[in-house]
Amino acid sequence: MNSVKIKPRAKTKSKAPYHHGDLRKQLVAAAEEIILERGVDGFTLREASRRAGVSPAAPAHHFKDARGLLSEVALLGFQEFGDALIAADQRGGKDPQKRLYEQGLAYVTFALKNPARFQLMFAHGKCDMRYKNLGEVAERSFKVLESAVRAASGLKPADDMTEDAYGLLMANWSIVHGFAHLALGGELDTPAGGRGGKGAILKSFLPLTLKHLPARR
Amino acid sequence: MNSVKIKPRAKTKSKAPYHHGDLRKQLVAAAEEIILERGVDGFTLREASRRAGVSPAAPAHHFKDARGLLSEVALLGFQEFGDALIAADQRGGKDPQKRLYEQGLAYVTFALKNPARFQLMFAHGKCDMRYKNLGEVAERSFKVLESAVRAASGLKPADDMTEDAYGLLMANWSIVHGFAHLALGGELDTPAGGRGGKGAILKSFLPLTLKHLPARR
DNA sequence: GCTACGATCTAAACAGTGTATAGATCAATA
DNA sequence: TATTGATCTATACACTGTTTAGATCGTAGC
């Protein structure tokens, strides 16, 4: 056999060059794969290296450490998440109640469709909020919610948040976040007519719950 | 000197016997210490062994593996948790709304006062729900909530849950669980006048949020 | 009292992890 | 063309959970 050595990472390429060329992106992709397959806790940096076809020390040149790579994944997640929330908010038009409802729908939908990413984004200590602009990007999602709550509370954009408005904000956030967390933990599968997977949860349980989204009082 | 050798683990005892004598309990205690100090992810079985003064292989005689030990900790947690919910429910008397409020208060209070334990109890995959009677004990807490929701929905104990009642249940659970999760993640610290630690959260933020606990509609 | 046993422990080993170090490779710049 | 800096490998270290074989010791049965 006339040795044509295979580059492990590329589909059909020449010789496995010493330099990967696209490692950073592939590490991120591998990380997303892994947390999807094995959960956030199942992630290992060495496995990501393996899937990218490099040595365990290679990632250090692109990310400070394992948390760095996970933080990058979270960053991308929060970007998509924020976009989804903004789009939902706009679907709500001028009705604050509808804005909150659409946001809640989008919040949980994102969580159930991107379970691993969502768990990572809100896991305690898994990623470093000082990584790049992760903190700001996460804050952006928060602001979308705050904006709708301000409208629902009759506040103008420049006004300070009142205590009541802040209570409304926390209540709205809590209910959708709690629902997402419980659903992802399988906590909503057991009782009564559960089962049916994420689809059933989104289609039947979620609307039943979002009916109770707190409005201004 | 009439040799009174010190047993490393016991306060003031004789000789460090080959057999520990109280290992199971001390492992549980060590595990609770560790998750409190280092978080659930910071737990290692070897560290627990070290603190109990035994070799890394010793725990295997009392727990199947690391998850087994954590499951035991979760089991004890759910027992206390269930007791707290039941006591709160009774404080609510005959008013379903008050029962739900007291339960919510107790739910979040438990979470903030036992952060590590709570995170463990609701962490995905950290403990084995088939461990001993962990599943049933966890279910017991759920039943306390369900019972109050039945009352709030005008259902008798024997009645099947209606869709609406189930929505009410999920909404109540979601809001308190979400609040607890967000608070533990420090998510409620940043904005506006936050800070002040868990005490401030319990005393000011929580009531503002629980005002919005969904009632029957 | 003795013996045998079963429960409980230790010591040592194995495979896996994250990460630090030193050195190899290679594109691009001076 | 030589050098430099970015990117990679090989190696090593200190951890981890868990398994194995063997040591210890309370106690049940004789």
Side-chain angles (χ1 to χ4, degrees):
Chain A
M1 44 183 168
N2 32 8
S3 57
V4 178
K5 295 170 193 168
I6 299 301
K7 183 183 184 183
R9 41 256 187 195
K11 6 223 141 178
T12 311
K13 256 314 182 73
S14 46
K15 228 209 52 102
Y18 193 89
H19 293 314
H20 185 290
D22 198 31
L23 185 51
R24 171 174 256 268
K25 271 183 198 165
Q26 286 210 30
L27 282 173
V28 172
E32 299 224 49
E33 260 187 33
I34 295 169
I35 62 178
L36 197 77
E37 290 174 21
R38 311 185 179 177
V40 176
D41 286 331
F43 170 82
T44 73
L45 191 55
R46 286 182 108 107
E47 176 65 19
S49 306
R50 245 172 264 132
R51 297 197 185 191
V54 296
S55 83
H61 295 274
H62 298 274
F63 303 98
K64 185 179 166 241
D65 51 17
R67 278 182 77 204
L69 174 49
L70 288 181
S71 302
E72 176 72 23
V73 173
L75 177 60
L76 299 175
F78 267 114
Q79 261 149 6
E80 248 185 58
F81 184 59
D83 291 347
L85 286 184
I86 289 173
D89 188 61
Q90 289 169 346
R91 275 197 298 277
K94 294 196 171 182
D95 178 5
Q97 253 58 262
K98 189 157 196 318
R99 287 173 66 188
L100 287 174
Y101 187 90
E102 291 290 335
Q103 279 190 45
L105 213 58
Y107 195 106
V108 178
T109 300
F110 179 90
L112 293 191
K113 296 205 167 172
N114 307 271
R117 220 189 291 200
F118 182 83
Q119 282 178 258
L120 171 63
M121 286 157 54
F122 287 98
H124 311 334
K126 284 291 179 185
C127 40
D128 181 3
M129 278 304 159
R130 294 163 312 180
Y131 174 83
K132 281 188 180 176
N133 57 337
L134 177 54
E136 303 157 43
V137 175
E139 186 81 1
R140 184 180 67 125
S141 302
F142 178 81
K143 293 291 185 192
V144 182
L145 174 58
E146 186 184 297
S147 157
V149 166
R150 295 182 101 94
S153 301
L155 295 174
K156 294 176 182 171
D159 291 346
D160 282 342
M161 285 283 283
T162 62
E163 276 209 334
D164 281 348
Y166 196 53
L168 188 58
L169 192 161
M170 287 188 295
N172 269 279
W173 193 5
S174 293
I175 196 169
V176 291
H177 188 77
F179 187 94
H181 193 249
L182 291 172
L184 288 179
E187 235 73 65
L188 303 181
D189 292 341
T190 21
R195 316 286 167 179
K198 311 288 181 192
I201 291 184
L202 281 175
K203 281 182 189 154
S204 68
F205 291 166
L206 182 55
L208 282 174
T209 306
L210 291 188
K211 269 204 323 193
H212 300 281
L213 264 193
R216 181 166 51 124
R217 291 228 178 120
Chain B
M1 49 177 171
N2 32 10
S3 57
V4 180
K5 295 169 194 167
I6 300 301
K7 183 184 185 181
R9 42 258 188 190
K11 6 222 142 179
T12 312
K13 256 318 183 66
S14 46
K15 220 206 57 96
Y18 193 88
H19 292 315
H20 185 290
D22 198 30
L23 184 52
R24 170 173 258 267
K25 271 185 197 164
Q26 287 211 30
L27 283 173
V28 172
E32 299 224 49
E33 261 187 32
I34 296 169
I35 61 178
L36 196 78
E37 290 175 20
R38 311 185 180 178
V40 176
D41 286 332
F43 169 81
T44 73
L45 190 55
R46 286 183 108 107
E47 176 64 20
S49 306
R50 244 171 264 132
R51 297 198 184 191
V54 296
S55 81
H61 295 274
H62 299 274
F63 303 98
K64 184 177 168 246
D65 51 19
R67 278 183 77 203
L69 174 49
L70 289 181
S71 301
E72 176 72 23
V73 173
L75 178 60
L76 299 175
F78 267 115
Q79 260 148 7
E80 248 185 57
F81 184 59
D83 292 346
L85 286 184
I86 289 174
D89 188 62
Q90 287 169 347
R91 275 197 298 277
K94 293 194 171 180
D95 178 5
Q97 251 59 262
K98 190 158 194 321
R99 287 172 66 189
L100 286 174
Y101 187 90
E102 291 291 334
Q103 279 191 44
L105 212 58
Y107 195 106
V108 178
T109 301
F110 178 91
L112 292 191
K113 295 204 168 173
N114 307 271
R117 218 189 291 202
F118 182 83
Q119 281 178 260
L120 172 63
M121 286 158 53
F122 287 97
H124 312 333
K126 284 290 180 186
C127 39
D128 181 3
M129 278 303 159
R130 295 164 311 178
Y131 174 83
K132 280 189 180 175
N133 56 337
L134 177 54
E136 303 157 41
V137 175
E139 186 80 2
R140 185 181 65 125
S141 302
F142 178 80
K143 292 291 185 192
V144 182
L145 174 58
E146 185 185 297
S147 157
V149 166
R150 295 182 100 93
S153 301
L155 296 174
K156 295 177 181 174
D159 292 345
D160 282 340
M161 285 284 282
T162 63
E163 275 209 335
D164 280 349
Y166 196 53
L168 188 58
L169 191 162
M170 288 187 295
N172 271 278
W173 192 5
S174 293
I175 196 169
V176 291
H177 187 77
F179 187 94
H181 193 250
L182 291 172
L184 288 179
E187 235 73 65
L188 303 181
D189 292 343
T190 20
R195 315 287 168 179
K198 311 290 180 192
I201 290 184
L202 280 175
K203 280 180 189 156
S204 68
F205 291 167
L206 182 55
L208 281 174
T209 305
L210 291 187
K211 267 202 327 190
H212 300 281
L213 265 192
R216 179 166 49 122
R217 292 224 178 121

